Amino acid sequence: MPTSINHLAPPTGGIADNIAGFARALRAAGLPVGPGAVIDAMTALEVIDIGKRPDVFTTLESIFVKRHEHALIFAQAFDLFFRPAEEWKSMLDSVPLPDHAKKKPPPASRRVQEAMSQPHTHEEPQAQEQDLRLSVSDREVLQKKDFAQMSAAEIAEVARAIAKMRLPQAELKTRRYTADPRGHRIDMRKTLRQALRTEGEIINFHRLGRLEKPAPIVALLDISGSMSEYTRLFLHFLHAITDARKRVSVFLFGTRLTNVTRSLRQRDPDEALASCSANVEDWAGGTRIATSLQTFNKQWARRVLGQGAIVLLISDGLEREADAKLAFEMDRLHRSCRRLIWLNPLLRYSGFEAKAQGIKTMLPHVDEFRPVHNLTSIEALISALSSPLPAHSRNVIRPAA
Amino acid sequence: MSAVALPASVDAMLELLSSRGYLAERALATVTYLSLRMGRPLFLEGEAGVGKTEIAKVLSAALGRKLIRLQCYEGLDVASAVYEWNSAAQMIAIRLAEAGGDVDRDQLTSDIFAERYLIKRPLLQALEPDVAGSPVLLIDELDRADEAFEAYLLEILSDFQVTIPEFGTVKAPHPPIVIITSNRTREIHDALKRRCLYHWVDYPSAERELAIVKTRLPGISQRLSQQVVRFVQALRDQDFYKSPGVAETLDWATALTELDARSLNAEVVGDTLGALLKYQDDIARMQGDQLQKAIKDATSET
C-alpha cells in the first residue's frame, strides 16, 4: 500500500507510486491528467521542500489542474489521498466521484442491442417494395411534421436528416491576412522572394486580403419540462453544427445553466448526447430563464461572445417570474452579441400571439423571432444563418424597453 | 542591470517579490518558483486587475533581467509577434547589386535574407542570449489573440525555437522566463496549458490587500486604508457584473488621498465610485440606501 507523503522523510521509490496513484485517482474523478504531467510532478517535487504540505499542494495543483473549474475536485482529491497511511484505504473507497465519472454502459451499446434484436420481418420482398414507394411521401410528411408528434422511428429519421445538414459558412472578416490576388495589401516577403528568381526584378506583386472565418455561434437551449419533446432533436442539430465548425458553444438551461460544449464535441451523436445528459442535473424540470441568463451573462458572455457571436436562444419563453430582471438580462445579452435569434417552437401555431408575460418581456430584445418545430423550419434557420450578417450591432443605441 | 541568482526556495521567492513591493500569496510564489526552477512557462489566469501582469514586471526588475512584453490582440500574426523582413532595405540591396552589374543569384539570396535585414519582434528577441541572463517574456492577455496564434506558440513554448524559412532555426541557448496571462475572455486550448504551470490568481484576502495598499501608498492613513479595504472586500461579495480588482482598490485609494479624504462618507464615495466600478449598471445598483449601508459597515469599527 502506498504510504502518505507526510510520512516520507527522504525521497524514496514510494513517492513515485504515490504520484502515479494520485494521478490515476484524478483521472477517475474526471480530470484530464496525462503521463507527461506525472513526470512533471515528479520533477517539480524534487525542487521543493516536500515537508510543507501547502507547497506540495500548490505544486501538484499547478501541474494537474489546467482549468479553474477543476480546482475544487483537485482540492478534495488531494485531501483524501494524502492522508496518513492507516486512514488511506478506507478513505479512498469513499472518494466522491462526480456522476459523469462513474462507469456506465457505453452509449453505442443501445444501438448495437437494437440492431441485434431487430425482427427480420422487413426482409420479405413484398414489404420492402411497399416501403420504397412510401418513403418519398414519408419524407415530405416528415418535413412538415411537428417534432412533438413524432414516433421514435420518425425522430431517428429526422435526426439522420439533421446530421446531414451542413451549415453554410457565414463569414466574418478577421484581422488576419491571407494570400489573395485581389487583396489590398502587398505581401512584400513573398514578392521579394519571387523577385530573386528574376535577378531582383519585381514582375508582379503578391497581395494579401483579410482572412474570413465563420462567426461563432452560441446556443442557449431550454431543457425544461415544456420543451422536453424538442430538446433531443435540438441537441442533434447542435451536435451536427458543432461537428462542422469549431466555434460553437452550447449551453443548456432549466433551473440552472450547464455548459455542454465539450460533450457535444464528441464525434458520435449518441455518445455526445449521453455525455450531455450526464452533465445536466435539471433535465425536464422547471425554468428560470432570468436566473440562467444572469449566470450566462456574468460567467460566460465575456468568454464566448467576444468575437461577434450569433446567439441562438431556443426556448418557449414560458417563464413565470417575468419581471424587470428578465428584461434586464435579455437586454444585456442582446447588447453583447452580434445577433440574437430567438427560436420558439410555440410559433408553430398559426394563430400564435405573444400573450404570455415572459414572451412579451423578452420579445423587444431579440433581432429575430423564428419558429423551430420541424425540419422545414430548421432548414429555414440554416439559410438565415448563412445570409450576410448585419453590421456590428454593438454600437447601435436601442431604446430601453 | 546585474544578474541576480534565482531564489533557492519558496520563502526566498516570497522575499524576492516583496522586496519589490509585490506581496504575493504563498501559492503564487510557489508556482513562480517552480516555473523558474523547471524552466516551464507560467500560465496565470484570473479576473482583470489582480496583479497577473505585475508579477512579470516585478520578476524582471528583481532578477535584473530584461522584460520583453508581447501584448496580444486579435489578428496578431508572425510578422508582428516574431519577425519581419525589412523589405525596404532589401529592395535597396537588390537595386545596389543590380547597379554593381554582377548579379549572382545565390549570393543575392543569402545577402538579402541575412540577419541585418531581419526585424526582430518580441518572441524572437526573447530567444536571444542576454548577458544578464535569459529575459522575462510576458505574453499578456493571450485570450485576445486568436486560435491560430495560440497554435503557433506551441512550438516556441516547448522547444524555445523559431524556424524562419529563409534564414534557418533560431534556438534559445537558455529558455526565457515565460509568463502568460489570460483574463478568460475565451478559453485557451488545453494543448497550450499542458506545456505550462497553471495558476488561478484570486482576489487577495483583506489582510493582504491592506498590506498591499500600505506598501503602494505609504502616505495613506491607517484609518482610511482599513476603510477602503473593508469597503472593497464587501463589494466583492456582492453580485456585480465586474468586481473591483486590486488595481481598482489602489486607484480608488489614490483618488481618495488626492481628494484629502480622511474617512469614507457618502459624498466622497459617490464622487469616486467610478474608480472602483466600471459598469453603469453596477454603479446604479450602488446608490442610496445600499451605498449608505456599505459605508456604515466599512467605517463602523474605526
Side-chain angles (χ1 to χ4, degrees):
Chain A
M1 191 208 285
T3 45
S4 153
I5 201 163
N6 297 338
H7 291 224
L8 275 177
T12 60
I15 196 164
D17 290 345
N18 254 338
I19 296 304
F22 184 51
R24 269 200 301 279
L26 289 178
R27 229 171 274 147
L31 262 64
V33 174
V38 179
I39 298 169
D40 280 350
M42 302 296 303
T43 325
L45 288 180
E46 274 168 28
V47 298
I48 62 154
D49 176 7
I50 60 166
K52 285 189 177 144
R53 192 180 162 90
D55 289 2
V56 173
F57 178 89
T58 317
T59 303
L60 294 181
E61 188 188 32
S62 74
I63 289 163
F64 289 136
V65 177
K66 301 294 178 195
R67 304 171 72 75
H68 185 47
E69 297 87 271
H70 291 154
L72 195 67
I73 301 177
F74 175 87
Q76 286 178 351
F78 184 87
D79 271 359
L80 287 169
F81 197 87
F82 293 106
R83 270 168 189 268
E86 55 276 13
E87 284 179 38
W88 188 82
K89 202 183 171 320
S90 59
M91 290 312 297
L92 197 67
D93 294 336
S94 61
V95 174
L97 294 183
D99 287 340
H100 62 88
K102 283 179 189 154
K103 271 262 185 290
K104 53 178 186 271
S109 70
R110 197 171 58 85
R111 273 189 290 169
V112 175
Q113 275 174 12
E114 276 178 10
M116 302 298 261
S117 63
Q118 198 109 93
H120 294 276
T121 47
H122 292 296
E123 286 182 11
E124 288 166 32
Q126 235 182 322
Q128 200 175 20
E129 212 175 308
Q130 267 187 334
D131 274 352
L132 277 175
R133 260 189 291 117
L134 274 176
S135 65
V136 178
S137 54
D138 266 0
R139 195 147 291 162
E140 275 167 18
V141 175
L142 270 183
Q143 289 280 341
K144 296 272 161 61
K145 192 157 183 175
D146 197 299
F147 290 151
Q149 294 154 4
M150 286 180 179
S151 71
E154 283 170 331
I155 286 178
E157 175 73 18
V158 170
R160 269 196 295 281
I162 285 175
K164 281 197 205 110
M165 288 178 179
R166 284 288 161 265
L167 256 193
Q169 308 279 296
E171 305 294 356
L172 265 186
K173 278 202 161 100
T174 66
R175 288 174 199 278
R176 277 180 169 269
Y177 286 86
T178 183
D180 176 2
R182 276 166 311 220
H184 59 278
R185 252 199 191 189
I186 293 171
D187 186 352
M188 278 312 283
R189 186 173 156 193
K190 200 167 173 192
T191 305
L192 274 175
R193 274 189 72 82
Q194 204 77 51
L196 286 173
R197 291 196 198 146
T198 51
E199 266 105 48
E201 204 62 59
I202 292 173
I203 291 180
N204 64 329
F205 283 102
H206 292 267
R207 288 171 180 278
L208 293 171
R210 294 268 284 274
L211 185 73
E212 297 189 342
K213 62 177 177 183
I217 290 183
V218 175
L220 299 167
L221 171 57
D222 187 341
I223 51 163
S224 60
S226 54
M227 292 281 294
S228 62
E229 282 143 331
Y230 297 95
T231 41
R232 205 178 157 79
L233 279 170
F234 290 152
L235 276 174
H236 268 291
F237 168 67
L238 294 172
H239 177 263
I241 65 173
T242 310
D243 208 32
R245 59 209 266 169
K246 273 184 183 162
R247 297 197 296 168
V248 177
S249 316
V250 180
F251 295 83
L252 305 183
F253 69 92
T255 48
R256 40 177 290 191
L257 187 81
T258 319
N259 184 355
V260 293
T261 310
R262 282 195 171 223
S263 302
L264 283 182
R265 289 255 166 83
Q266 300 180 43
R267 282 213 87 93
D268 185 288
D270 280 353
E271 212 169 303
L273 262 55
S275 168
C276 275
S277 54
N279 277 324
V280 173
E281 285 166 23
D282 53 344
W283 203 274
T287 337
R288 281 160 66 201
I289 302 179
T291 318
S292 303
L293 286 182
Q294 185 187 26
T295 318
F296 177 79
N297 283 336
K298 195 144 183 280
Q299 291 182 359
W300 291 99
R302 273 182 283 225
R303 283 150 78 181
V304 296
L305 296 182
Q307 299 93 22
I310 303 171
V311 173
L312 303 180
L313 176 64
I314 309 170
S315 170
D316 51 16
L318 297 180
E319 161 89 326
R320 245 168 285 161
E321 17 171 312
D323 47 13
K325 186 179 165 195
L326 181 61
F328 176 82
E329 298 299 342
M330 277 300 288
D331 182 44
R332 166 147 273 164
L333 178 66
H334 191 200
R335 280 187 285 126
S336 39
C337 68
R338 179 176 291 255
R339 187 148 72 136
L340 177 53
I341 303 176
W342 183 6
L343 305 171
N344 192 336
L346 288 183
L347 280 187
R348 68 183 181 274
Y349 304 116
S350 47
F352 175 81
E353 274 176 67
K355 276 188 186 147
Q357 192 53 44
I359 298 177
K360 268 196 217 160
T361 316
M362 288 160 75
L363 214 46
H365 303 286
V366 298
D367 296 312
E368 269 180 66
F369 191 43
R370 308 182 67 91
V372 59
H373 60 284
N374 58 21
L375 270 183
T376 314
S377 56
I378 285 194
E379 276 161 5
L381 166 68
I382 287 184
S383 64
L385 284 178
S386 60
S387 64
L389 290 167
H392 215 297
S393 57
R394 217 169 289 172
N395 298 328
V396 178
I397 299 166
R398 292 197 181 81
Chain B
M1 282 200 275
S2 60
V4 177
L6 296 183
S9 68
V10 178
D11 296 292
M13 187 79 229
L14 268 173
E15 219 163 280
L16 185 82
L17 293 176
S18 68
S19 74
R20 294 282 164 163
Y22 191 99
L23 305 174
E25 305 274 351
R26 189 174 175 87
L28 179 59
T30 309
V31 288
T32 313
Y33 167 71
L34 276 176
S35 107
L36 291 188
R37 288 297 301 262
M38 295 170 72
R40 296 291 282 281
L42 180 58
F43 190 98
L44 298 177
E45 223 170 28
E47 298 295 330
V50 289
K52 302 185 295 293
T53 304
E54 193 64 20
I55 194 155
K57 293 183 185 167
V58 168
L59 212 54
S60 94
L63 294 174
R65 308 289 183 91
K66 195 159 81 181
L67 176 69
I68 297 172
R69 178 172 179 165
L70 176 65
Q71 174 64 51
C72 296
Y73 55 88
E74 197 201 330
L76 180 66
D77 57 0
V78 172
S80 36
V82 193
Y83 71 92
E84 194 169 15
W85 289 105
N86 187 344
S87 315
Q90 283 176 323
M91 295 274 276
I92 294 169
I94 293 174
R95 287 280 162 227
L96 285 176
E98 268 180 353
D102 51 343
V103 180
D104 173 0
R105 206 182 290 179
D106 292 339
Q107 187 59 44
L108 187 63
T109 309
S110 65
D111 277 353
I112 75 160
F113 288 117
E115 194 175 351
R116 64 194 157 120
Y117 296 117
L118 196 59
I119 303 171
K120 293 168 183 165
R121 302 291 190 207
L123 289 182
L124 192 57
Q125 287 171 19
L127 299 182
E128 299 206 306
D130 191 36
V131 279
S134 48
V136 176
L137 170 63
L138 168 64
I139 301 176
D140 211 13
E141 304 188 358
L142 180 62
D143 49 329
R144 287 168 178 267
D146 40 29
E147 292 92 341
F149 178 72
E150 204 182 302
Y152 183 84
L153 269 186
L154 291 178
E155 183 197 356
I156 297 187
L157 292 185
S158 49
D159 300 333
F160 297 106
Q161 66 176 35
V162 167
T163 306
I164 302 172
E166 301 91 347
F167 184 71
T169 301
V170 181
K171 188 166 170 57
H174 303 288
I177 298 165
V178 184
I179 311 265
I180 303 173
T181 73
S182 159
N183 289 335
R184 275 226 295 194
T185 58
R186 156 176 94 72
E187 293 297 328
I188 304 296
H189 199 274
D190 289 350
L192 190 116
K193 286 179 166 179
R194 208 167 52 229
R195 285 163 174 79
C196 308
L197 297 175
Y198 173 86
H199 185 68
W200 175 265
V201 187
D202 226 330
Y203 295 118
S205 62
E207 299 83 61
R208 193 166 302 275
E209 191 159 27
L210 189 60
I212 293 172
V213 170
K214 282 182 187 159
T215 316
R216 289 304 184 84
L217 303 168
I220 196 168
S221 75
Q222 170 79 10
R223 196 167 84 144
L224 185 63
S225 59
Q226 271 180 354
Q227 290 180 358
V228 162
V229 169
R230 219 177 285 140
F231 189 85
V232 172
Q233 294 264 339
L235 283 196
R236 286 199 194 117
D237 289 341
Q238 295 202 27
D239 203 22
F240 283 124
Y241 191 58
K242 168 75 186 87
S243 291
V246 184
E248 277 83 34
T249 312
L250 291 172
D251 279 352
W252 192 46
T254 315
L256 292 174
T257 42
E258 288 295 325
L259 294 173
D260 285 330
R262 300 276 168 81
S263 170
L264 296 187
N265 60 54
E267 195 190 351
V268 72
V269 173
D271 288 349
T272 53
L273 209 54
L276 272 185
L277 299 173
K278 305 297 163 102
Y279 282 86
Q280 178 54 32
D281 301 333
D282 290 347
I283 294 176
R285 269 184 59 187
M286 257 333 257
Q287 297 296 344
D289 292 348
Q290 192 150 8
L291 187 68
Q292 293 292 350
K293 187 179 174 301
I295 293 171
K296 196 161 157 267
D297 289 348
T299 52
S300 60
E301 287 164 51
T302 47

